[in-house]
């Protein structure tokens, strides 16, 4: 293009040069002597003036206009960094200036747009919900990272395809169709299998309209509601468990009371036997209600520990007499090695509750003639209290569940020990409130160790 323009310029120069030479040839026979020199000088002068004018024209107009048009072409191509550097005054100078201003604005707009685009992409990609955008024909245009987490595969496996070709869930098809058909928001939920687990997903589909209210597509948002469902299930289980646990002693109390009224109270032996059953069942009921209240107090977020400096050795020593008495009833050997005094900041009463629970469990779930040990290990920042026994042990598959409310490994056996199944749930809450942790090592029929780790100065 440039060489074409310069060749035009050369042709103009050649034509003008020829015209001057022609004039020279025409005029030279008409004049003689000195006049000829005057004519030649005039022609040369004219030609020089012409070239000077042409040079000025080139520098002031042609060159800037060329540079401007080159910059314009670059801008069209999307190269917003292009600028014209031909310095000039007058009209052409203004033109160069204007194209530079235009290029700068375009560059700024482009940077701004890119920034907005990347911000939007960051927001979409970091959303906690899956997102899919489809056009009015059903082709997928956009999906985010969470969507890929939920449904697997890669973006290229979805984008550009019809949604029903790449997603097999009927509920998604239905949601899209309803969003298109009724042109309003739709909600549904379904389950998908992710890797090994099943997840509950809620889908919200909303149609998209343009300014003239034509349907342009739909946006689908996928919320993972598995955790919510789990909590809902836990709440339902809890209510069912509480009712069940309360029902057993109440039924028994009522049954024995009725039997007494029906005549059994006349027989002293039966009366004593039934009344003591009623007493023990009502004690069980009382323990259950007490534990439930305790748990609900602990679960309230505003649980306040009454913290003070606690000497763990002293605290555990206080539990020894009653523990030894309980152990000796079952002929269990009880050994405590408590080491030196260890101070930490905590709630004395609550911590006592933790160790009473763990020691009671160790004694309850250890057959006669077994052994229970209580050990304290101290490191720079933590205290480890280990309660171990040679009892019935806990199978590995149940070890993660024993801290759940009402969970008992062997329901019949632990109910015989008078347990409510709330002890370890309470223990875990208290330890967590102290920013500590509890760990369990156990082998079936060999024994269990519960290891409590407490920070020395976390509060
Ligand atoms: N040291 C242990 N050895 C074997 N099993 C244990 C031991 N400690 C706890 N378990 C098992 O874990 C279950 C839950 O214990 P948890 O202390 O929460 O309830 P519980 O002892 O049945 O009742 P309670 O609320 O009266 O303590 C027990 O029922 C028992 O099956
Ligand atoms: Mg217990």
């Amino acid at each position: 293009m440039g060489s074409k323009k310069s060749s035009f310029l050369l042709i103009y120069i050649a034509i003008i040069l020829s015209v001057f030479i022609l004039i020279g040839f025409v005029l030279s026979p008409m004049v003689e002597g000195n006049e000829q020199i005057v004519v030649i000088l005039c022609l040369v002068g004219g030609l020089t003036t012409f070239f000077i004018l042409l040079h000025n024209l080139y520098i002031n107009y042609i060159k800037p206009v060329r540079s401007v048009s080159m910059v314009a072409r670059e801008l069209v191509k999307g190269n917003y960094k292009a600028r014209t550097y031909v310095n000039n005054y007058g009209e052409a100078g203004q033109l160069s200036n204007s194209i530079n201003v235009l290029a700068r604005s375009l560059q700024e707009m482009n940077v701004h747009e890119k920034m907005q685009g990347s911000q939007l992409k960051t927001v979409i990609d970091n959303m906690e919900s899956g997102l899919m955008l489809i056009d009015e024909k059903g082709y997928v245009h956009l999906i985010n990272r969470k969507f890929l987490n939920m449904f697997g595969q890669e973006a290229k496996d979805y984008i550009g395809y019809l949604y029903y070709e790449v997603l097999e869930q009927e509920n998604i098809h239905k949601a899209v169709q309803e969003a298109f058909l009724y042109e309003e928001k739709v909600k549904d939920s379904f389950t998908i299998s992710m890797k090994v687990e099943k997840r509950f997903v809620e889908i919200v589909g909303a149609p998209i309209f343009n300014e003239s209210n034509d349907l342009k597509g739909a946006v689908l948002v996928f919320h993972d509601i598995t955790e919510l469902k789990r909590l809902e299930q836990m709440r339902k289980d809890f209510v069912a468990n509480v009712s069940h646990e309360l029902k057993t002693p109440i039924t028994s109390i009522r049954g024995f009371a009725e039997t007494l009224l029906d005549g059994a109270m006349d027989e002293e032996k039966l009366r004593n036997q039934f009344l003591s059953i009623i007493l023990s069942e009502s004690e069980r009921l009382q323990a259950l209600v007490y534990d439930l209240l305790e748990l609900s107090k602990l679960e309230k977020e505003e649980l306040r520990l009454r913290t003070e400096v606690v000497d763990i050795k002293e605290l555990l020593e206080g539990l020894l007499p009653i523990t030894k008495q309980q152990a000796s009833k079952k002929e269990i050997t009880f050994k405590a090695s408590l080491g030196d005094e260890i101070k930490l900041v905590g709630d004395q009463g609550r911590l006592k509750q933790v160790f009473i629970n763990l020691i009671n469990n160790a004694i309850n779930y250890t057959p006669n003639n077994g052994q229970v040990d209580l050990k304290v290990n101290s490191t720079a920042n933590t205290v480890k209290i280990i309660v171990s026994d040679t009892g019935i042990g806990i199978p590995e598959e149940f070890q993660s569940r024993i801290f759940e409310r009402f969970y008992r490994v062997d329901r019949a056996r632990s109910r015989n020990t008078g347990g409510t199944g709330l002890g370890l749930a309470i223990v875990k809450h208290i330890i967590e409130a102290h920013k500590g942790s509890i760990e369990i090592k156990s082998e079936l029929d060999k024994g269990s160790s519960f290891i409590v780790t407490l920070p020395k100065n976390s509060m």
Side-chain angles (χ1 to χ4, degrees):
M1 192 88 169
S3 64
K4 211 169 164 188
K5 275 188 190 160
S6 16
S7 63
F8 270 123
L9 205 64
L10 285 177
I11 291 170
Y12 291 148
I13 293 171
I15 291 172
I16 298 293
L17 208 59
S18 324
V19 169
F20 270 86
I21 291 169
L22 201 70
I23 295 172
F25 271 114
V26 172
L27 286 183
S28 59
M30 294 181 192
V31 288
E32 284 180 358
N34 283 346
E35 286 174 344
Q36 248 181 358
I37 298 171
V38 172
V39 168
I40 291 171
L41 280 178
C42 282
L43 284 176
V44 171
L47 203 60
T48 315
T49 316
F50 169 74
F51 278 128
I52 290 171
L53 280 177
L54 193 68
H55 178 256
N56 275 349
L57 189 74
Y58 178 77
I59 294 293
N60 291 328
Y61 291 95
I62 299 177
K63 207 172 161 201
V65 168
R66 263 194 202 177
S67 170
V68 165
S69 78
M70 215 168 73
V71 171
R73 275 201 303 277
E74 287 298 307
L75 293 182
V76 169
K77 278 192 234 159
N79 172 15
Y80 302 121
K81 283 191 196 134
R83 298 283 184 278
T84 161
Y85 295 103
V86 182
N87 235 346
N88 237 302
Y89 310 101
E91 314 281 303
Q94 275 179 17
L95 183 65
S96 304
N97 227 353
S98 307
I99 197 93
N100 279 350
V101 170
L102 177 70
R104 213 167 295 128
S105 320
L106 280 173
Q107 192 178 12
E108 276 167 20
M109 265 162 60
N110 186 39
V111 169
H112 195 67
E113 199 179 302
K114 272 191 189 151
M115 237 164 66
Q116 272 190 338
S118 82
Q119 276 172 355
L120 193 67
K121 190 171 171 347
T122 314
V123 170
I124 288 176
D125 261 345
N126 289 295
M127 271 169 65
E128 262 309 293
S129 306
L131 185 101
M132 183 170 86
L133 187 74
I134 55 177
D135 66 14
E136 73 274 26
K137 294 197 186 84
Y139 286 97
V140 180
H141 280 248
L142 182 123
I143 50 175
N144 68 351
R145 205 180 297 157
K146 183 76 189 181
F147 176 93
L148 292 175
N149 271 349
M150 284 177 170
F151 294 95
Q153 306 203 64
E154 287 173 41
K156 66 174 172 44
D157 300 315
Y158 296 97
I159 290 179
Y161 290 96
L162 285 165
Y163 73 91
Y164 50 81
E165 281 177 355
V166 285
L167 290 167
E168 58 195 25
Q169 285 79 4
E170 277 298 321
N171 303 60
I172 301 182
H173 302 178
K174 209 172 114 221
V176 176
Q177 283 155 11
E178 283 179 9
F180 279 158
L181 193 64
Y182 304 121
E183 299 194 350
E184 53 185 41
K185 218 161 86 177
V186 282
K187 225 180 198 182
D188 200 354
S189 60
F190 58 94
T191 54
I192 50 171
S193 304
M194 268 166 81
K195 287 159 203 153
V196 280
E197 45 175 358
K198 214 162 99 188
R199 311 287 299 177
F200 289 91
V201 177
E202 183 187 69
I203 172 175
V204 181
I208 308 171
F209 302 98
N210 64 6
E211 297 92 56
S212 38
N213 240 350
D214 300 322
L215 187 68
K216 287 316 268 177
V219 60
L220 303 178
V221 181
F222 302 89
H223 304 292
D224 187 341
I225 51 165
T226 316
E227 192 57 19
L228 270 179
K229 283 265 181 201
R230 198 180 63 82
L231 289 177
E232 195 183 306
Q233 191 54 44
M234 257 173 70
R235 193 185 52 77
K236 282 184 192 160
D237 287 351
F238 179 64
V239 173
N241 280 332
V242 170
S243 322
H244 179 77
E245 295 295 330
L246 292 174
K247 214 168 78 186
T248 323
I250 288 174
T251 315
S252 138
I253 290 171
R254 191 192 158 142
F256 285 107
E258 275 172 0
T259 321
L260 281 173
L261 288 174
D262 281 349
M265 67 179 161
D266 299 332
E267 272 183 58
E268 197 186 341
K269 200 171 151 229
L270 280 182
R271 191 172 62 223
N272 284 344
Q273 192 189 346
F274 289 179
L275 281 175
S276 58
I277 294 174
I278 289 176
L279 180 68
S280 86
E281 288 295 330
S282 58
E283 274 167 1
R284 190 175 152 68
L285 205 57
Q286 192 183 22
L288 195 66
V289 172
Y290 173 81
D291 278 355
L292 279 172
L293 283 176
E294 198 62 14
L295 245 190
S296 92
K297 242 192 273 171
L298 287 168
E299 280 181 349
K300 273 192 197 143
E301 293 202 349
E302 68 265 24
L303 163 71
R304 294 247 170 274
L305 294 173
R306 265 181 270 136
T307 54
E308 56 191 315
V309 176
V310 179
D311 179 0
I312 282 290
K313 186 182 179 196
E314 199 182 302
L315 183 144
L316 294 173
E317 265 171 358
L319 306 178
L320 296 185
I322 178 108
T323 307
K324 280 181 184 153
Q325 194 193 352
Q326 279 175 331
S328 67
K329 267 192 215 160
K330 285 180 84 178
E331 282 160 34
I332 285 173
T333 321
F334 175 73
K335 272 196 208 144
S337 60
L338 306 179
D340 300 326
E341 111 179 349
I342 298 165
K343 296 252 163 77
L344 60 82
V345 181
D347 185 323
Q348 173 123 5
R350 298 270 184 217
L351 288 176
K352 230 182 225 173
Q353 211 177 343
V354 166
F355 300 114
I356 290 175
N357 262 307
L358 293 179
I359 295 170
N360 278 350
N361 279 350
I363 294 174
N364 281 342
Y365 302 110
T366 299
N368 289 5
N369 301 314
Q371 185 171 330
V372 171
D373 286 312
L374 176 64
K375 229 183 281 166
V376 181
N377 283 340
S378 170
T379 67
N381 302 317
T382 58
V383 189
K384 273 192 200 309
I385 300 104
I386 305 153
V387 182
S388 45
D389 61 57
T390 56
I392 58 172
I394 303 157
E396 202 172 335
E397 66 262 39
F398 303 125
Q399 288 178 12
S400 60
R401 301 205 55 193
I402 56 169
F403 296 99
E404 288 174 21
R405 295 177 286 195
F406 295 116
Y407 194 82
R408 300 186 188 103
V409 177
D410 178 343
R411 295 195 164 251
R413 183 138 42 143
S414 41
R415 201 171 276 138
N416 287 342
T417 66
T420 59
L422 292 171
L424 287 178
I426 293 174
V427 163
K428 191 157 189 251
H429 267 292
I430 297 176
I431 292 173
E432 280 173 0
H434 281 83
K435 302 201 170 53
S437 61
I438 181 160
E439 207 189 319
I440 162 172
K441 286 192 182 130
S442 183
E443 223 179 301
L444 195 61
D445 296 327
K446 294 240 166 85
S448 316
S449 289
F450 286 79
I451 304 146
V452 176
T453 308
L454 291 170
K456 279 186 180 164
N457 47 9
S458 72
M459 311 210 185

